[in-house]
Amino acid sequence: MRVWLLLAVLLAVAARAAPALDLSAGEAIYLKGLLPSGASLNGQRASGVSLEGRAAACVSCHRRSGLGTTEGSLTIPPISAEYLFHTRSVNNTGHALGYVENAHADRSPYTEETLKRAIRQGLDADGRTMSALMPRFALSDSEYTALLAYLKALDSPRASGVTPTLLHFATIFTPDTDPKKRAAVLAVMQQYFADKNQFPFGPNPQMRTSAKTLYSKSMYVSQRHWQLHLWQLEGPPDSWRAQLERDFAREPVMAVVSGYGRNVWAPVHDFCEQRRVPCLFPNVDVPVVAADDFYSLYFSRGVMLESDLIAHSLTGAEPQIKSVRQIFRSDDSGASAAASLAGSLRSAGVEVQNTAVSHAQGAQALAQALRGAAQAYVLWLRPEDLATLPAAPPEAPVYISGVMADLDDVALPVAWRAHVLMAYPVDLPNRRVVRVDYPLGWFKLRHVELIDAPLQSDTYVACGILAETLSHMADSLVSDYLVERMQEVLDHRILTGYYPRLNLGTGQTVASKGAYLVKFAGGDGTRVEAAGDWIIP
C-alpha cells in the first residue's frame, strides 16, 4: 500500500512539474488562419475557390468550440478530438459524448493519419469525398501536429458552475447602481429563476439511446435547477478584479446574466473575457466592444452608439454645423460618449467645446455652460439634470442621450422639447407594442413591480434567450458552445423586447446595431416620433 501511495505522489509531482503544452501555433491556425511561419493559411475547395487567412481558418465554419453548427440543410460537424476519434459504442459502457445535433455518426472514427488525409485531400475516415465546402489544406507535418494538439485541447470539460443537479449563474452590480434599478433587475431575475425551477413533473430522468450509434449514452436531457448568485462590487474600479476573482472562486458560475453597470464596466468585461465566462446582456451605458472579444454580449453599444449617431447627424447637416458644445458630468457615462463624439467631429473639421461639470456643482453650473455660443449643443445628462435646465432653451438645435435620459420618461422642460433631438437606440413606441406587451403581461401576472420598463424588459429578454439557448444544448454544457448557440437563437427570436431585431453575426458581440433620432411631438411635446430612418452608423 505504501509503494502505491508513494507512486501516486511521485506521479502527481511529475504532472505538476511537466511544462504546459504550447498550443499557440495550433490556436493561430485554427482561430486566425495564421501559420507558425507568419504566412497566411491557404485552403482550396473542390470547386476551385481559394481561401486565405481568416477566411480559411477552421473557426469560420467549425466555430470556436469546435462543435460546428447547422445552417438549413447544411451541417458542419464537430472537430474537437473527442468527436473525431470517438469509437462507436456497442453497449452502455465507455465515455459518453455530449449531444450535438450536427455530428456525423455515419463514419468510422478518425486516426491521426486519416485526419491528416482529410485535411490535405478532403477524404473522410472511410475514404469518401467530403463536402465541397471543406477546403483542402497543404499543411506540413509540423503544422498538422500543431493543429492536432489544439483540436485535442478543444476537448473541453463542462463549463464552470455546472453540477448534475444545478446550473449556477451570477448577476453583477457596480457600486454606482441606482438602488431602484438594482431592485428592478433583481425582481425580474428572481421571479424568472423561481419559475424555471418549478418543473411540473420533477427533473427529467436521464434518457439514453439504443447504444448502437456514435452517441451511445449521450442523447439525454438532464433537467437542472438554476441557482442565482448576486455579486455586488464595491469601491473603485481598480479593486473589482480581485472581488470578481474572490466571488468566482467561492461561487463558480456558468455565466453572468444581466446585472447593471452605469459608468464603468471594463473590469467586469475583462474578467469575463480572460476567465472565458459568458457575460450575457448586462444593462450598461458604456459596453466594451473590441476586436476578438467573444464572451461578452450586449444588446446595444449604449452611449457609444448614440455618439456615432449624433456625429452622423451633425456632420451631414445642411448647412454644415461648424461648432458644437458638449455638456456632461465629469464622473458619469457621458464623459466617455463626449470624448468619442469630440474625436469624430474634430476629424470632420467641426470645432468642439467640451464642458465637464461635476456632480458637486448644481443646476447653476449647467446654466452657465449653456451660455457659450455654438451652432449645436449635445447634453449628456441624467433626468435630474435635464429637469433643472433653465426656462429658455438656446436657439441652436439640442441633442440629448436617450440612454442617460431614461428614454420615454425624459424629464425635459416643455419649452425645450421643440428644440431637442434625442438619440433613441430602441424601436419606436408604436412599433414595439406586441414585443413589449409580452414581458409587461408576465410582470403583471407574477406581481413583479414595474419600476423601469425598458430595464426590466431587457432583463426578461436576457433570461429568455438564456433559457431558449440551454434548451438546444442538451448536455453539451461548454462555455464557448453556449455563446455560439445563443448567436443562432437570436437569428430566429421574435420576442426581442424594445429592439426591432437582435442578431449576432460572426465576430459580433452587439445584438442591436442601430438607433433613431427622435423628436417630441403632440401638444405638450410628450409623444416620440422618428426624425429620420433607423440608422446603423
Side-chain angles (χ1 to χ4, degrees), residues 6-21:
L6 177 60
L7 179 59
V9 171
L10 290 174
L11 287 172
V13 171
R16 284 197 296 269
L21 183 62

Side-chain angles (χ1 to χ4, degrees), residues 262-460:
R262 183 165 168 167
N263 185 20
V264 178
W265 189 254
V268 181
H269 176 99
D270 293 344
F271 166 81
C272 291
E273 289 296 321
Q274 292 162 19
R275 277 290 188 174
R276 300 187 175 188
V277 176
C279 182
L280 309 175
F281 308 111
N283 302 290
V284 295
D285 289 355
V286 191
V288 180
V289 180
D292 296 327
D293 280 350
F294 178 78
Y295 296 95
S296 299
L297 306 181
Y298 301 97
F299 281 129
S300 165
R301 288 196 295 120
V303 295
M304 307 311 284
L305 168 64
E306 294 183 328
S307 168
D308 290 347
L309 179 73
I310 294 171
H312 179 274
S313 176
L314 288 171
T315 55
E318 292 291 344
Q320 186 176 0
I321 298 293
K322 295 295 186 181
S323 63
V324 173
R325 178 180 289 270
Q326 295 192 95
I327 301 171
F328 54 92
R329 293 295 189 184
S330 56
D331 50 354
D332 205 346
S333 310
S336 298
S340 173
L341 179 55
S344 298
L345 293 179
R346 285 170 180 153
S347 67
V350 179
E351 179 188 352
V352 181
Q353 299 172 329
N354 286 337
T355 302
V357 181
S358 72
H359 273 93
Q361 298 171 292
Q364 187 174 358
L366 294 176
Q368 179 66 31
L370 284 162
R371 289 179 189 146
Q375 289 183 300
Y377 293 83
V378 183
L379 310 183
W380 301 101
L381 299 174
R382 299 286 177 184
E384 57 269 25
D385 287 328
L386 295 173
T388 64
L389 291 173
E395 294 292 330
V398 177
Y399 293 79
I400 65 172
S401 161
V403 168
M404 297 183 66
D406 288 346
L407 296 175
D408 300 337
D409 295 328
V410 55
L412 194 64
V414 174
W416 282 68
R417 292 178 179 259
H419 295 265
V420 166
L421 290 173
M422 180 167 67
Y424 201 75
V426 295
D427 209 354
L428 298 171
N430 62 320
R431 299 183 58 176
R432 66 181 187 234
V433 172
V434 174
R435 297 192 307 272
V436 172
D437 275 356
Y438 192 92
L440 292 180
W442 186 88
F443 301 154
K444 186 175 181 179
L445 284 172
R446 285 156 179 79
H447 307 290
V448 174
E449 182 184 0
L450 189 61
I451 301 171
D452 185 319
L455 177 64
Q456 289 175 283
S457 175
D458 280 2
T459 302
Y460 174 83

Side-chain angles (χ1 to χ4, degrees), residues 15-197:
R16 284 197 296 269
L21 183 62
D22 184 5
L23 299 173
S24 58
E27 182 180 46
I29 295 172
Y30 189 95
L31 295 180
K32 300 178 180 179
L34 190 65
L35 298 173
S37 65
S40 294
L41 174 68
N42 285 282
Q44 182 128 2
R45 291 189 172 131
S47 62
V49 174
S50 295
L51 303 170
E52 183 177 354
R54 283 186 182 270
C58 313
V59 70
S60 352
C61 292
H62 296 281
R63 313 297 293 272
R64 192 182 188 106
S65 65
L67 295 180
T69 186
T70 300
E71 295 183 16
S73 60
L74 174 67
T75 60
I76 308 295
I79 58 168
S80 63
E82 63 177 346
Y83 287 86
L84 292 172
F85 302 132
H86 190 274
T87 302
R88 289 192 184 102
S89 297
V90 294
N91 51 44
N92 259 351
T93 63
H95 172 61
L97 291 178
Y99 174 72
V100 289
E101 61 189 2
N102 44 295
H104 291 176
D106 59 345
R107 61 159 174 77
S108 301
Y110 280 98
T111 66
E112 292 190 8
E113 285 304 311
T114 57
L115 179 61
K116 184 188 297 184
R117 183 184 66 183
I119 291 172
R120 291 175 173 174
Q121 301 175 35
L123 300 175
D124 75 2
D126 297 304
R128 298 172 298 192
T129 301
M130 302 172 74
S131 165
L133 291 176
M134 173 65 187
R136 283 63 169 157
F137 302 97
L139 293 183
S140 68
D141 285 349
S142 62
E143 291 163 350
Y144 167 73
T145 300
L147 178 59
L148 177 62
Y150 187 73
L151 296 181
K152 290 179 178 179
L154 288 176
D155 296 345
S156 306
R158 290 190 189 280
S160 57
V162 176
T163 76
T165 58
L166 286 173
L167 296 178
H168 292 267
F169 302 99
T171 192
I172 298 174
F173 296 94
T174 58
D176 58 356
T177 301
D178 183 310
K180 290 184 178 179
K181 293 187 182 291
R182 183 179 184 275
V185 171
L186 280 177
V188 174
M189 296 198 73
Q190 289 167 347
Q191 185 60 56
Y192 199 100
F193 275 53
D195 281 10
K196 196 77 182 91
N197 291 334

